[in-house]
Amino acid sequence: MADDKKIEPAVFETETTGHLHRKLQARHLEMIAIGGTIGTGLLLRSGGAIAGAGPLGALICFGLVGLQVYGVTAGIGEMVTYIPVEGAFSQLPARFVSPALGFASGWNYWLNWALTFPAEMSGIASLMGYWVDPSRVASAVWSFIFMVPIIAVNCFPVTGFAETEFVLCIIKVLAIVIFLIVGILVWFGVGVGGGFKGFSNWNPAIVGDTSMNQFLNVGNGFTTAFFSYGGTELVGLTSGEAANPRKSVPRAINGTFYRIIIFYLGALFLVGVLLNPSDPILQAADIKTSPFVWVYNQVGIGAGADIMNFVIIVAASSAANSSIYACARTLMRLAEEGSAPRIFGRVDKRGVPIISVGVVGIVGLIAVVIAYASGSSGSVDVFNFLSGVISYGILAAWMIMSFTHLRFRRGYLAQGRDIKDLPYVAPFFPYLNYLSLTIGTVVTIFMLISVFNTKGADAATFFNKDWFTNQSWVYIGFPGTFIMYLGYGLARPGGWKFVSYEDMDFETGKYVELQEELAEIAAVHEKPKSPREWAQRIWFKLF
């Protein structure tokens, strides 16, 4: 080894005939991790969660799901920094649990993102209706217009996706930070008079005239919470293309807990103390009367509606961009494992799974056609239907990865390996895993009870078109993963059998750092020596 520069930094091949290229830098992963916590779920649907469950009820929903997200992200981080594989959501469950779970997990994750793309396109279409009346330009036309450049970006090398996401995430972060600042000023009476508002709008804190109704209303709020948090785990998928995953992935994950508190719970808290649950603004169908716009109007920013409409479209575009990336990489890996047609595993010389990207585009195009055929409200209906399916798929993916991490760590120790050799160690093991699985199970029961309770209404009118549109997770998302798991085991004998701890493979795909990469990692862990370095460390922790 006379020339260290010729050493490949990872086990994966990156020649023109093969796999993905490691071109994602630390700044890309960090911004993707931040951007994953700000999307259309927070900006479009959180007001409805407060109106339905109450300000405290919504915080309970988002707080519990936020805890689960942190546990899941930390567990994924431990696995992918040690083995930064392509298609982590299918490969890791198959390697450390069972082939059937890997198959079900991979296809569930692919379906989540495949549906996220048209869901976000439908959301953009309805938002464009604020500026251009749907009677003049059909909503589905806007979906197509935005779809084309987003697909095109993902046809370039991975840096095209990363740089686009980097810019979009910066816009989202700045928008939510400005909202938090303005919201605090309004809470203290700036621009509205009357002094400090306190908690006068927590009346009631949890919506419902009986304990049972309060229970049911909070249960319904979890669907919005799961949809809103979807994407925070995406940093685990990017590890297969990270230039130095043992440096960049932990840095991206470490701030997750603080970002959840600041961005999600902070924004929800402010909306809850500024507006009463009964205020029609919380359930506004029009961006002009949404709570985020209302806050700007209170301090005299008349263009608040236009600003927030632009920001939410940016958020939806970011989610759509991420969905194509995640969907294509997951399908590529499923094809390589033999769980999908081999043609989807083809990667061009630039490291782009171009055929898998095309499949996502076709799914999005089909949804656009359906929305167009459904009339003026088609885009809204498609968005509600797809987001419902996605909500439970996200929960299923998180629970699978929490269970996978439990077996990963136990198998790692059972083979006599030293915990100190793990580049990143998930905190509070195994308690965060147990907490994640418990939250997932209890919330599922919670949601099932809530969604089928008619609250005294006639069943014939309760289970109407709106119910089937908004509760699609019940009959598609909830049973989908189980059907795929059972089907794989029936089709392939032995597919359900758990991989023994002794037979677990901890070597294939294991990352091998270069000396300069080891130096970069050491620098990250050094104690700051100056105020500037301390400021940078705090910035990276939060943002």
Side-chain angles (χ1 to χ4, degrees):
M1 296 185 185
D3 187 356
D4 286 345
K5 293 183 180 179
K6 294 182 180 179
I7 300 174
E8 289 292 335
V11 174
F12 289 124
E13 299 176 358
T14 56
E15 289 88 3
T16 58
T17 58
H19 298 306
L20 308 177
H21 295 181
R22 291 190 176 276
K23 293 183 177 180
L24 294 180
Q25 303 301 318
R27 66 183 178 88
H28 295 139
L29 269 66
E30 288 158 9
M31 195 56 69
I32 288 169
I34 300 167
T37 60
I38 305 170
T40 50
L42 174 64
L43 299 173
L44 274 180
R45 300 186 61 179
S46 59
I50 295 172
L56 180 58
L59 283 173
I60 290 172
C61 293
F62 278 78
L64 285 175
V65 176
L67 273 177
Q68 185 181 20
V69 167
Y70 177 61
V72 170
T73 306
I76 293 173
E78 178 174 301
M79 294 186 286
V80 300
T81 48
Y82 189 73
I83 310 174
V85 293
E86 305 161 355
F89 285 82
S90 62
Q91 187 170 169
L92 294 178
R95 188 186 291 196
F96 300 113
V97 185
S98 71
L101 191 65
F103 175 85
S105 176
W107 277 110
N108 171 68
Y109 199 66
W110 178 85
L111 183 64
N112 286 344
W113 285 109
L115 296 182
T116 296
F117 181 55
E120 299 297 345
M121 290 297 98
S122 298
I124 289 174
S126 62
L127 290 164
M128 287 301 297
Y130 168 65
W131 287 317
V132 182
D133 193 277
S135 63
R136 294 175 55 197
V137 179
S139 296
V141 173
W142 293 116
S143 295
F144 183 76
I145 290 173
F146 277 82
M147 182 185 300
V148 173
I150 293 174
I151 294 174
V153 164
N154 282 271
C155 291
F156 289 97
V158 69
T159 49
F161 154 77
E163 295 298 346
T164 302
E165 195 64 16
F166 186 80
V167 173
L168 295 177
C169 287
I170 287 176
I171 295 173
K172 290 194 291 184
V173 170
L174 289 175
I176 201 68
V177 168
I178 292 171
F179 168 79
L180 292 173
I181 294 171
V182 174
I184 291 172
L185 293 175
V186 174
W187 188 31
F188 278 89
V190 176
V192 294
F196 180 54
K197 290 181 176 292
F199 292 88
S200 59
N201 283 315
W202 280 36
N203 183 28
I206 299 177
V207 173
D209 51 2
T210 66
S211 297
M212 176 55 72
N213 282 340
Q214 290 178 337
F215 171 87
L216 297 173
N217 289 335
V218 172
N220 285 327
F222 280 106
T223 305
T224 299
F226 286 122
F227 178 74
S228 301
Y229 278 116
T232 49
E233 78 293 332
L234 185 63
V235 68
L237 197 68
T238 60
S239 64
E241 294 175 89
N244 185 354
R246 294 191 173 180
K247 169 194 172 186
S248 54
V249 174
R251 278 178 62 170
I253 288 173
N254 281 335
T256 300
F257 181 76
Y258 304 101
R259 293 168 195 143
I260 287 171
I261 293 176
I262 293 172
F263 294 137
Y264 263 103
L265 301 186
L268 276 172
F269 174 80
L270 281 174
V271 173
V273 295
L274 294 175
L275 293 166
N276 188 272
S278 61
D279 197 308
I281 290 175
L282 291 173
Q283 300 198 64
D286 193 327
I287 186 66
K288 290 184 292 186
T289 51
S290 77
F292 290 92
V293 172
W294 177 86
V295 167
Y296 286 112
N297 289 338
Q298 294 304 299
V299 291
I301 303 177
D306 293 289
I307 293 170
M308 285 310 302
N309 201 49
F310 169 75
V311 169
I312 298 173
I313 288 174
V314 166
S317 300
S318 170
N321 187 41
S322 296
S323 68
I324 295 179
Y325 172 85
C327 198
R329 269 62 181 177
T330 301
L331 183 58
M332 179 204 72
R333 183 60 201 175
L334 287 167
E336 291 177 346
E337 294 171 350
S339 297
R342 291 287 182 184
I343 191 173
F344 298 136
R346 292 183 183 177
V347 178
D348 66 21
K349 63 182 180 180
R350 302 166 304 153
V352 180
I354 194 71
I355 296 177
S356 292
V357 170
V359 171
V360 191
I362 292 172
V363 172
L365 186 60
I366 292 172
V368 169
V369 172
I370 293 173
Y372 182 77
S374 301
S376 59
S377 64
S379 292
V380 175
D381 291 340
V382 168
F383 178 80
N384 290 335
F385 174 84
L386 294 178
S387 61
V389 177
I390 295 163
S391 297
Y392 195 82
I394 291 167
L395 173 58
W398 291 347
M399 293 180 70
I400 288 170
M401 294 309 285
S402 290
F403 184 63
T404 300
H405 179 237
L406 272 173
R407 289 187 50 81
F408 170 91
R409 176 76 75 86
R410 287 172 176 169
Y412 184 87
L413 295 176
Q415 292 186 11
R417 299 172 184 269
D418 194 334
I419 200 74
K420 295 179 181 177
D421 293 332
L422 289 172
Y424 172 78
V425 179
F428 309 115
F429 179 88
Y431 305 109
L432 278 180
N433 300 80
Y434 290 144
L435 180 64
S436 172
L437 294 170
T438 300
I439 289 174
T441 302
V442 171
V443 166
T444 299
I445 296 171
F446 212 37
M447 291 167 63
L448 285 170
I449 294 174
S450 297
V451 80
F452 285 109
N453 190 293
T454 63
K455 300 180 182 178
D458 180 63
T461 57
F462 182 79
F463 296 104
N464 54 19
K465 176 192 171 185
D466 289 341
W467 186 92
F468 281 96
T469 299
N470 297 324
Q471 309 299 341
S472 53
W473 69 271
V474 176
Y475 54 91
I476 297 179
F478 178 65
T481 305
F482 292 102
I483 291 172
M484 288 186 284
Y485 176 80
L486 294 172
Y488 185 94
L490 292 172
R492 300 188 183 184
W496 294 330
K497 184 179 179 181
F498 277 20
V499 179
S500 67
Y501 293 141
E502 294 75 17
D503 293 333
M504 288 182 179
D505 179 8
F506 288 94
E507 294 301 320
T508 302
K510 181 180 175 182
Y511 195 81
V512 180
E513 302 99 327
L514 295 174
Q515 286 300 318
E516 48 264 41
E517 291 178 323
L518 291 171
E520 288 179 1
I521 296 170
V524 169
H525 293 289
E526 284 183 0
K527 185 177 180 180
K529 300 181 178 66
S530 67
R532 180 182 177 183
E533 290 182 358
W534 273 110
Q536 288 177 334
R537 182 64 56 87
I538 293 171
W539 174 264
F540 284 129
K541 198 73 172 176
L542 295 178
F543 304 107

